[in-house]
Amino acid sequence: MDVSARRAFNLLKELAYVRVSGTEAEKKAAERLLEEVKSCGVEARIEEFTVKAGKVNKATLKVTKPYVKEYEVTGYERSLSTPEGGLDAEFYYAENLLPVHLQNCKGKIVLINGRLRRTDYEKLQQAGAAAILTFSGTTLDRISETDCDIRKLREMLTDELGFNVALNMRAADAAEIVRRSATEMHIEVESECFDATSRNVCAVIPGKEFPEEIISFGAHYDSVHFSTGVYDNMSGSVIIMELMRYFAAHQPARTLKFNWYGSEEQGLLGSKAWVEAHKDELDKHMLMVNVDVAAATLGSNYAPVLATEGVVGYVDAMMKEAGIPCKVELDIYSSDCIPFADQGVPAINLCRFGPQGAGYIHDRRDNLRSGYLDEKALDITLQQGLMLAKRLDSAKVFPIERKISDDIKKKVDEYLFKKK
Ligand SMILES: [Zn+2]
């Protein structure tokens, strides 16, 4: 049996629905992936893990001075609720949170630019903001064609820094509020926090020559709100399914594991849980190959490597030898490779990025109707993955040193906010 981009793309079409962490839809996708694995006669199971989840039942924002107008907002999942009757406070636009801004945040509803990064959240908590406002999208967005993004106060923020009230709004509305010099507003948030279950789908094909040497292939199958996640990352999920089919029919020399991770979009929670649950076998893991985003018709191939310059040279040479154009670089990648590299397992990512205007991610445009993905483009990464997998699996001596360069270690630590 050979790999088939058509079959892969058909499975992608079947799973082209919103699959947010800890939801029924994510569970349904996991079950479908498991069924597909089992239909190839491969041993597999679902491994559950708990995620901190939240639901916002009500979120409103009304400017009360010097004019009165209500704006569309979404509450961050796991936001604090406002007191009974809501919260009335002064509004302050703190831009990029410079010291001058921070001096003015206390007790106010504070709007900032961009995403709520951990460093920003820390500053806002210390400055005593009464509530946090972020905006998403662009000032050009048409309401009928865009969504007001739903975000989450991740554990990464709340565990150490505590909870706060957090809301998100549209960029055009945020601009209007600032332009019209809003000074006071009324907000209401009713939010619940709870534990939810997310899942990794895990398959194993034992090796016949070097069963103690493990190569794992990974791809996350969850999506964010409003996004059907066909590009990010059902494309990668169906690619590793094809690789698994190939090795189900051609027994590998080494033990190959195939993992479809849940909850990647919430902070790599699936791969973190997997690594934690499989700690005792990690010293046998020679390499992790992660596929996250592919199938973009207009695009380019990129392979960030979390290992050493030696591995970069090796992968780069293999791509050239096979005539596959691919930019190979020593760098981290914000995906499930991180928890592996953190445990000393080298990782290679295979990605095909759509360029600006033809690579939509993390919103409703990541959808088959957007016309930016196709099976021929998916085949590029599929063939790349197959070439890499066959070469590595059949190597007489495993060619990748089990080592992570100091530069990558440092970047991984920073990514995971590890204290020095
Ligand atoms: Zn992704």
Side-chain angles (χ1 to χ4, degrees):
M1 187 189 288
D2 216 344
V3 295
S4 160
R6 167 139 317 164
R7 182 174 49 210
F9 208 77
N10 283 338
L11 181 59
L12 173 145
K13 284 181 191 163
E14 198 188 317
L15 290 161
Y17 49 82
V18 181
R19 309 173 299 275
V20 176
S21 164
T23 61
E24 273 303 309
E26 194 199 38
K27 181 183 175 194
K28 186 178 141 195
E31 284 168 352
R32 178 65 187 93
L33 290 168
L34 181 72
E35 177 195 317
E36 190 72 11
V37 175
K38 286 192 164 167
S39 76
C40 306
V42 173
E43 183 199 320
R45 61 179 182 158
I46 281 178
E47 295 184 6
E48 297 186 341
F49 56 96
T50 301
V51 291
K52 300 265 178 236
K55 190 168 157 251
V56 174
N57 299 314
K58 183 183 179 186
T60 61
L61 181 151
K62 189 158 97 181
V63 171
T64 50
K65 267 185 197 158
Y67 68 101
V68 178
K69 184 173 173 183
E70 193 153 340
Y71 292 91
E72 181 189 357
V73 287
T74 54
Y76 274 59
E77 290 172 346
R78 305 182 75 242
S79 165
L80 211 59
S81 294
T82 49
E84 191 74 34
L87 173 76
D88 289 278
E90 267 181 64
F91 167 71
Y92 180 62
Y93 176 37
E95 300 174 2
N96 55 345
L97 295 170
L98 295 178
V100 174
H101 296 127
L102 293 170
Q103 215 172 25
N104 292 302
C105 290
K106 199 170 173 60
K108 294 179 187 166
I109 299 169
V110 179
L111 173 71
I112 62 162
N113 294 337
R115 296 195 82 84
L116 182 56
R117 294 172 308 153
R118 192 183 190 276
T119 45
D120 297 335
Y121 192 67
E122 189 170 9
K123 285 178 191 169
L124 286 161
Q125 290 293 76
Q126 280 167 1
I132 301 163
L133 262 177
T134 55
F135 61 85
S136 55
T138 77
T139 56
L140 291 171
D141 287 353
R142 285 185 208 185
I143 289 178
S144 61
E145 290 168 6
T146 54
D147 299 293
C148 188
D149 200 13
I150 297 174
R151 295 179 174 177
K152 180 174 170 181
L153 285 185
R154 296 180 179 181
E155 296 145 89
M156 188 85 90
L157 302 177
T158 55
D159 276 1
E160 242 178 89
L161 306 166
F163 287 82
N164 205 336
V165 176
L167 297 160
N168 188 52
M169 67 193 311
R170 291 169 175 276
D173 289 339
E176 182 177 297
I177 285 173
V178 173
R179 195 185 313 119
R180 294 182 70 179
S181 306
T183 53
E184 275 174 49
M185 48 179 63
H186 176 84
I187 57 172
E188 284 183 45
V189 181
E190 270 174 41
S191 155
E192 319 168 33
C193 288
F194 50 89
D195 284 349
T197 302
S198 183
R199 293 158 180 86
N200 294 327
V201 182
C202 310
V204 190
I205 306 180
K208 60 172 182 250
E209 240 179 292
F210 310 105
E212 295 295 293
E213 294 187 7
I214 301 170
I215 304 172
S216 84
F217 295 84
H220 75 87
Y221 70 93
D222 64 314
S223 78
V224 299
H225 287 286
F226 307 116
S227 161
T228 65
V230 278
Y231 172 57
D232 182 19
N233 179 38
M234 195 44 71
S235 61
S237 295
V238 298
I239 284 173
I240 71 162
M241 184 68 78
E242 283 300 312
L243 298 181
M244 189 215 67
R245 274 178 187 280
Y246 178 86
F247 288 102
H250 308 86
Q251 200 193 352
R254 296 179 163 82
T255 295
L256 305 185
K257 296 204 165 193
F258 296 85
N259 293 323
W260 289 266
Y261 298 110
S263 300
E264 187 267 359
E265 300 289 6
Q266 307 298 330
L268 320 178
L269 303 181
S271 49
K272 281 178 182 166
W274 197 91
V275 163
E276 191 57 40
H278 294 259
K279 264 212 162 119
D280 51 351
E281 65 170 79
L282 288 179
D283 57 343
K284 293 185 199 161
H285 282 244
M286 314 298 281
L287 177 71
M288 191 269 193
V289 179
N290 186 49
V291 188
D292 194 355
V293 304
T297 307
L298 301 177
S300 59
N301 308 319
Y302 179 50
V305 170
L306 295 84
T308 59
E309 283 293 354
V311 178
V312 171
Y314 172 66
V315 174
D316 186 50
M318 269 201 288
M319 297 297 170
K320 285 176 176 152
E321 194 184 285
I324 299 169
C326 183
K327 187 174 167 192
V328 186
E329 252 177 14
L330 190 67
D331 205 352
I332 63 163
Y333 185 55
S334 179
S335 185
D336 296 311
C337 53
I338 297 274
F340 284 84
D342 183 44
Q343 293 295 321
V345 180
I348 299 172
N349 295 278
L350 299 178
C351 334
R352 180 169 173 82
F353 288 148
Q356 215 173 11
Y360 314 114
I361 196 163
H362 293 169
D363 60 39
R364 65 158 83 175
R365 296 170 303 171
D366 183 346
N367 189 304
L368 283 169
R369 286 192 300 276
S370 299
Y372 70 121
L373 307 177
D374 74 81
E375 72 181 50
K376 202 170 77 183
L378 185 139
D379 197 41
I380 298 170
T381 312
L382 174 56
Q383 294 301 335
Q384 196 181 17
L386 184 64
M387 182 274 295
L388 195 74
K390 279 159 85 171
R391 295 270 311 246
L392 290 166
D393 175 58
S394 63
K396 298 296 170 209
V397 173
F398 199 73
I400 290 178
E401 191 187 5
R402 207 176 177 289
K403 196 179 160 195
I404 312 283
S405 75
D406 289 343
D407 174 44
I408 293 296
K409 271 188 205 157
K410 191 168 161 256
K411 285 182 177 173
V412 168
D413 284 351
E414 280 166 9
Y415 184 94
L416 295 171
F417 300 104
K418 284 201 177 168
K419 293 256 159 64
K420 302 280 139 42

